[in-house]
Amino acid sequence: MHRASIRSRLLAGAAASATLAALVAAVPAGAAPPASADAAAAPVAAALGDLDTDGEYTQRFLELYDKIHDPANGYFSDQGIPYHAVESLMVEAPDNGHETTSEAYSFWLWLETSYGQVTGDWEPFNDAWATLEAYMIPTTENQPTNGAYDPGSPATYAAEHNHPSGYPSELDSGVTVGSDPLAGELSQTYGTDEIYGMHWLADVDNVYGYGAAPGSGELLGPDHEGTSYINTFQRGPEESVWETIPQPSIDDFSYGGEFGYLDLFTADPQPAKQWKYTNAPDADARAVEAAYWANKFATEQGQPEAVAETVGKAAKMGDYLRYSLFDKYFKTPGCDSPSCPAGSGRDSAHYLLSWYYAWGGALDEQAPWAWRIGSSHAHFGYQNPMAAWALANDPDLVPDSATADDDWSKSLDRQVELFQWLQSPEGGIAGGATNSWDGAYAERPAGTSTFYGMAYDEAPVYHDPPSNEWFGMQGWGVERIAQLYHETGDERAKDILDSWVPWVISHITVSEDDWQIPSNIAWTGQPDTWDPENPGDNSGLSVEVTGYGQDVGVAGALARTLMYYAAASGDTQAQQVSHDLLDALWTQSSDPLGVATTETRGDYGRFDDVLTEPDGDGVYVPEGWSGTMPNGDVIEPGVSFIDIRSFLRDDPEWDKVQAHLDGGPEPEFTYHRFWAQTAVATALADYDRLFGDVVEPPEDVEAPTAPQDLTATADGTTVELSWTASTDDVRVTGYDVTRDGEVVAGVGGTTISFTDAGLEESTEYTYAVTAHDAAGNVSAASDAVTVTTGEGEVDPPAGACTAELSIANSWSGGYQGAITVTGGGEGVQGWQVTVPDGLTTSNMWGGRLADGVVTPESWNADLGADQTATVGFIGNGAAPAAQELDCTGTVPAG
């Protein structure tokens, strides 16, 4: 599946919620954002001559910054709102590129933070927050009935369902919900019952025509010229963006069906007109994180007052962000049925940044009511321990509420522990945890591992595509761990990075004319149940990289993560890889608008998908339900994504999609996502800041120590080798195994064993092992060991396994391939696959290649009947044809 479709639901805060909703803002419709008080009162910015702007990477940052801010390039609307992308025909989390997200705003704050650090000018940072406050945080008019909210009864329970066809979901007042411990404190602290948090999605140009405008309590319709709050995801983990029905966040029944859009989601015989918003906590946390760094940089420049008011607003946002630390219906962790205990006080807190929090209420102020919920689902990629640390420890960011610093202190520890719990032996971080199995507090499958009572969930929140398949979550999540390590020296963060960094580096390829990073990953197994006093080794959890690509935003995040780690640890290899990746992005992927690469969008074949099976793909509309969009598009059973978004047919790039729908090739697009440009830009600014004048990493000339204690054991015609790991001043990146003086295998730097199979009977062999590092320094050889094989074994029976070679993509001088091994009717214990003559690789994962034979890793050697294992690799030269390969193995006894 294409990379962009894999991230197509990263921001869907309400994806699995039965009662959630849409957008937010804060000024009268069409008004310009208010000038920041800081901008007016700030002292004169530090002169450019007082700051070092001459560095090569700083100059690149400023060049990219100018491209992003050039009105001709189209990154911002006429109101000064950042679009999700320059291009409008785009479907991923937003369903067109000219929507915006709280994610985009948070990245914009980061961009202006870097600009302030480089130039000393903090007015753009303050203006970015003012725009965020004006257009993404609901005003009093947008959330008018919060005063009727009852913290003792936050919301009425409605189960989530695994497929959209399970909706509308029945409201069930018989399920007890817990009490909200935050509402009273927040109201007392700020003198209001309103929520200070961003809604996640807005229709910047009011293309849909709802006119759910900032500062309005009703829909202003298609004539409104300005941004409009909308929502899409509402119906469980299988609701892909391709299956959503866009709705306004203010539903006054002007559009849709008899009751607007409300009865598509919850079953209420007489729903009231209402407002509803959904917060994406990772975006608010990223905004707080940016404010921390802005305050740090401005203080170092001697002008903390330049950002003080905005930093205070970030602290306030962090106060309300605590709603994401609680279970959806304020139930206690460990819940495995709807009747599980309701919480009171802090016993409903899981202290993780969950997938969303949401709030809503009646539009009718004469019959007021309101609700609030947290979320039971937590993805590691949403965690932000750096923001938690700042909210708990930075005097300028600790929120005003009495219990906020304690909540964030607990959250910091819990978030770091989540990373530790989810880390695989290879280094990658797995999905997350839930307190509400199947979104309905269902009983967890037997044997499911847990984290403080929450159940392990490989793909939290959404499954089409799986939420931890997109590699960008690794960059987003671990970047914050790296910042925490850099700022605080947290040893837990260092331990996580010490394992993660080598794994990531081993999958990054940079040459003079090409670069590749992972795009997709796949998971098997699960972590051990978490015991903070005695963490397990997670030997039953494993990850493999299943695809590579050129996502410039993810590359920027990876470079930034590696450089924070390198700056804190002195790891020259991590600095070198970040340096090379940034250079490749700049020299190979720059264009007049920014940094971008061409993407093939096979997922665009879903534009005209129609639901044909009860649990299939396509837009689900309940039988008998009908309604209309503001432009007249009909919503009824049998419609497709494009049927209720006919305006997309007028897009100048639509012809490419239509040609594909008519049977032509998959369309290609070049996209300039706002967040991706910012990820690259801020990495460029950080490189000069972190490494100063020494932009080239110091040369590594020290070789690893020789491997020790090499042993060899023969079993028939197979020899098992093991040795004690070498050490290096930077890092051991691999070992070469020689047999009778010839290299027969290479293994990764964390592997200290090798299996040599298929040898001659009754033959003497001599082995040795050398270690090498990333700079190519090679150790002395280990002491040699000699072993004699025994008699040959009977050939494994035919049918123990099958294997198939496939080619994912190719380029000049190389290609990406995969070997899929399938267990036969009785399964297989141990297997080996003979590859085409002459096949060589520069990188292989999930198996080992030696003498034309691929053998498994320990974790994928045994396969059940029809169970598969995938060995991926980067091949050298021209790709062979896809074909079946010879596979042999042992059928399990009995």
Side-chain angles (χ1 to χ4, degrees):
M1 183 171 289
H2 188 272
R3 187 271 317 150
S5 69
I6 287 170
R7 76 174 297 275
S8 67
R9 296 174 58 192
L10 294 179
L11 309 177
S17 168
T19 55
L20 306 195
L23 286 273
V24 120
V27 295
S36 165
D38 277 343
V44 177
L48 292 180
D50 296 337
L51 299 169
D52 181 8
T53 61
D54 295 331
E56 178 181 5
Y57 294 88
T58 300
Q59 287 298 307
R60 290 177 179 180
F61 162 75
L62 291 170
E63 182 178 337
L64 183 52
Y65 180 91
D66 286 345
K67 288 181 178 180
I68 295 170
H69 282 278
D70 185 343
N73 288 341
Y75 284 98
F76 290 88
S77 75
D78 291 342
Q79 288 180 294
I81 296 172
Y83 289 123
H84 177 66
V86 169
E87 298 76 20
S88 53
L89 184 59
M90 169 187 283
V91 180
E92 35 193 51
D95 55 10
N96 76 78
H98 279 194
E99 292 170 354
T100 196
T101 61
S102 55
E103 173 196 75
Y105 277 95
S106 66
F107 273 99
W108 183 20
L109 287 168
W110 258 113
L111 181 69
E112 303 305 348
T113 294
S114 290
Y115 184 75
Q117 181 267 319
V118 167
T119 67
D121 181 2
W122 292 101
E123 183 174 353
F125 171 78
N126 293 321
D127 286 345
W129 194 284
T131 306
L132 172 161
E133 190 173 56
Y135 296 130
M136 219 59 175
I137 297 179
T139 62
T140 301
E141 294 83 359
N142 297 138
Q143 46 175 335
T145 51
N146 274 307
Y149 175 64
D150 178 5
S153 181
T156 301
Y157 172 82
E160 298 165 11
H161 300 278
N162 285 329
H163 189 270
S165 60
Y167 291 83
S169 184
E170 295 285 344
L171 295 170
D172 187 351
S173 59
V175 174
T176 303
V177 301
S179 60
D180 171 359
L182 299 179
E185 182 179 71
L186 291 168
S187 179
Q188 181 178 14
T189 300
Y190 298 105
T192 179
D193 293 312
E194 296 167 18
I195 298 292
Y196 192 81
M198 289 188 281
H199 177 64
W200 85 276
L201 183 64
D203 180 4
V204 177
D205 297 331
N206 196 30
V207 174
Y208 278 113
Y210 291 120
S216 175
E218 62 181 354
L219 298 183
L220 303 181
D223 292 336
H224 169 65
E225 295 182 359
T227 194
S228 170
Y229 299 130
I230 63 170
N231 205 4
T232 49
F233 301 99
Q234 287 260 225
R235 301 185 295 182
E238 287 293 338
E239 187 187 35
S240 163
V241 65
W242 298 104
E243 299 159 3
T244 56
I245 299 175
Q247 350 80 67
S249 296
I250 301 167
D251 200 331
D252 63 5
F253 303 169
S254 297
Y255 307 104
E258 179 184 3
F259 300 111
Y261 298 83
L262 300 176
D263 53 345
L264 288 171
F265 311 115
T266 55
D268 184 341
Q270 196 67 38
K273 297 176 182 180
Q274 57 192 265
W275 54 270
K276 44 197 172 65
Y277 304 101
T278 301
N279 178 278
D282 79 313
D284 284 36
R286 189 184 291 110
V288 171
E289 180 190 7
Y292 165 79
W293 289 99
N295 189 48
K296 176 183 173 74
F297 298 149
T299 300
E300 290 173 348
Q301 294 166 358
Q303 50 173 348
E305 68 278 8
V307 297
E309 184 176 339
T310 299
V311 170
K313 292 177 180 179
K316 179 180 178 180
M317 180 176 283
D319 218 346
Y320 286 86
L321 184 57
R322 290 185 291 158
Y323 271 113
S324 70
L325 308 182
F326 288 81
D327 177 71
K328 179 175 180 178
Y329 291 110
F330 298 94
K331 285 180 172 286
T332 55
C335 200
D336 60 1
S337 79
S339 61
C340 71
S344 61
R346 291 304 190 278
D347 60 4
S348 61
H350 47 63
Y351 291 109
L352 300 172
L353 286 175
S354 54
W355 197 250
Y356 58 81
Y357 74 81
W359 71 110
L363 285 172
D364 186 354
E365 297 184 53
Q366 302 306 310
W369 51 266
W371 56 265
R372 297 178 192 177
I373 57 176
S375 173
S376 306
H377 315 304
H379 195 297
F380 94 88
Y382 261 34
Q383 306 311 303
N384 195 322
M386 187 65 232
W389 180 87
L391 290 166
N393 294 281
D394 186 330
D396 295 324
L397 273 167
V398 172
D400 288 342
S401 289
T403 63
D405 57 345
D406 185 62
D407 283 342
W408 283 115
S409 180
K410 290 183 172 67
S411 179
L412 167 63
D413 287 338
R414 193 64 56 89
Q415 290 183 49
V416 174
E417 286 182 272
L418 185 75
F419 279 87
Q420 293 175 303
W421 177 55
L422 294 171
Q423 188 159 35
S424 68
E426 296 88 355
I429 314 298
T434 181
N435 193 46
S436 181
W437 195 264
D438 282 343
Y441 299 108
E443 184 177 355
R444 296 93 178 269
T448 300
S449 66
T450 58
F451 177 80
Y452 290 104
M454 301 176 75
Y456 172 66
D457 192 346
E458 178 181 316
V461 187
Y462 64 84
H463 302 158
D464 181 14
S467 65
N468 204 27
E469 191 173 288
W470 181 57
F471 196 80
M473 282 294 200
Q474 300 291 317
W476 279 4
V478 183
E479 179 184 329
R480 300 152 190 166
I481 288 286
Q483 288 184 27
L484 180 70
Y485 171 47
H486 180 270
E487 282 296 280
T488 71
D490 191 302
E491 286 297 325
R492 301 167 301 174
K494 181 181 185 299
D495 289 343
I496 293 165
L497 291 160
D498 284 346
S499 179
W500 186 88
V501 167
W503 172 67
V504 169
I505 287 176
S506 72
H507 290 289
I508 295 175
T509 303
V510 180
S511 67
E512 291 184 1
D513 56 4
D514 192 25
W515 61 273
Q516 297 280 333
I517 61 172
S519 58
N520 300 9
I521 52 179
W523 295 87
T524 55
Q526 64 174 1
D528 300 327
T529 287
W530 179 248
D531 178 355
E533 301 301 322
N534 186 28
D537 60 8
N538 282 355
S539 59
L541 176 68
S542 187
V543 62
E544 62 176 312
V545 176
T546 58
Y548 290 83
Q550 291 189 323
D551 187 317
V552 297
V554 177
L558 293 181
R560 208 168 184 220
T561 306
L562 294 174
M563 68 178 71
Y564 273 100
Y565 175 69
S569 67
D571 189 309
T572 58
Q573 184 191 8
Q575 183 187 347
Q576 184 70 61
V577 174
S578 66
H579 170 276
D580 293 349
L581 195 51
L582 287 178
D583 280 358
L585 283 164
W586 192 256
T587 60
Q588 299 176 29
S589 303
S590 290
D591 67 18
L593 299 186
V595 180
T597 56
T598 300
E599 304 174 17
T600 303
R601 295 302 300 261
D603 60 315
Y604 281 9
R606 298 183 70 173
F607 263 100
D608 60 358
D609 281 0
V610 173
L611 184 70
T612 58
E613 300 177 4
D615 58 353
D617 293 341
V619 179
Y620 173 73
V621 180
E623 196 65 34
W625 198 99
S626 66
T628 56
M629 303 292 285
N631 68 350
D633 287 348
V634 176
I635 313 166
E636 61 185 2
V639 296
S640 67
F641 179 94
I642 189 61
D643 288 336
I644 55 176
R645 298 167 174 87
S646 61
F647 62 86
L648 291 175
R649 296 184 185 275
D650 297 327
D651 193 280
E653 294 199 282
W654 174 257
D655 287 348
K656 292 192 291 187
V657 176
Q658 188 62 57
H660 177 50
L661 297 177
D662 292 339
E666 296 177 346
E668 294 185 345
F669 292 84
T670 301
Y671 286 132
H672 297 82
R673 298 172 180 85
F674 190 91
W675 80 266
Q677 303 305 307
T678 296
V680 175
T682 52
L684 290 167
D686 277 347
Y687 194 86
D688 270 347
R689 177 175 66 85
L690 292 171
F691 300 112
D693 295 331
V694 187
V695 296
E696 291 288 345
E699 184 178 2
D700 179 7
V701 297
E702 184 174 331
T705 61
Q708 301 293 314
D709 305 320
L710 177 64
T711 62
T713 304
D715 182 7
T717 57
T718 297
V719 172
E720 298 284 349
L721 301 172
S722 64
W723 57 90
T724 300
S726 299
T727 59
D728 186 59
D729 62 326
V730 179
R731 181 181 299 109
V732 175
T733 58
Y735 296 92
D736 289 324
V737 179
T738 62
R739 182 206 310 137
D740 295 338
E742 299 290 332
V743 175
V744 293
V747 298
T750 59
T751 302
I752 53 173
S753 63
F754 174 68
T755 300
D756 198 10
L759 302 171
E760 297 294 329
E761 300 179 26
S762 304
T763 302
E764 185 176 88
Y765 295 100
T766 299
Y767 293 90
V769 179
T770 58
H772 58 82
D773 61 22
N777 300 306
V778 180
S779 75
S782 68
D783 292 338
V785 295
T786 300
V787 65
T788 301
T789 57
E791 295 182 359
E793 299 176 348
V794 177
D795 289 338
C801 57
T802 58
E804 184 174 338
L805 171 66
S806 60
I807 306 300
N809 54 66
S810 60
W811 54 90
S812 177
Y815 60 96
Q816 180 184 334
I819 297 170
T820 302
V821 180
T822 304
E826 299 180 41
V828 63
Q829 289 182 336
W831 48 264
Q832 60 182 39
V833 175
T834 303
V835 302
D837 291 343
L839 186 148
T840 61
T841 70
S842 60
N843 192 10
M844 176 171 279
W845 55 98
R848 306 170 186 175
L849 174 64
D851 291 344
V853 173
V854 173
T855 53
E857 301 285 1
S858 59
W859 49 267
N860 63 358
D862 297 342
L863 302 175
D866 299 322
Q867 187 178 1
T868 62
T870 301
V871 178
F873 63 91
I874 301 299
N876 301 318
Q883 58 190 279
E884 293 185 1
L885 303 175
D886 289 336
C887 181
T888 58
T890 302
V891 175

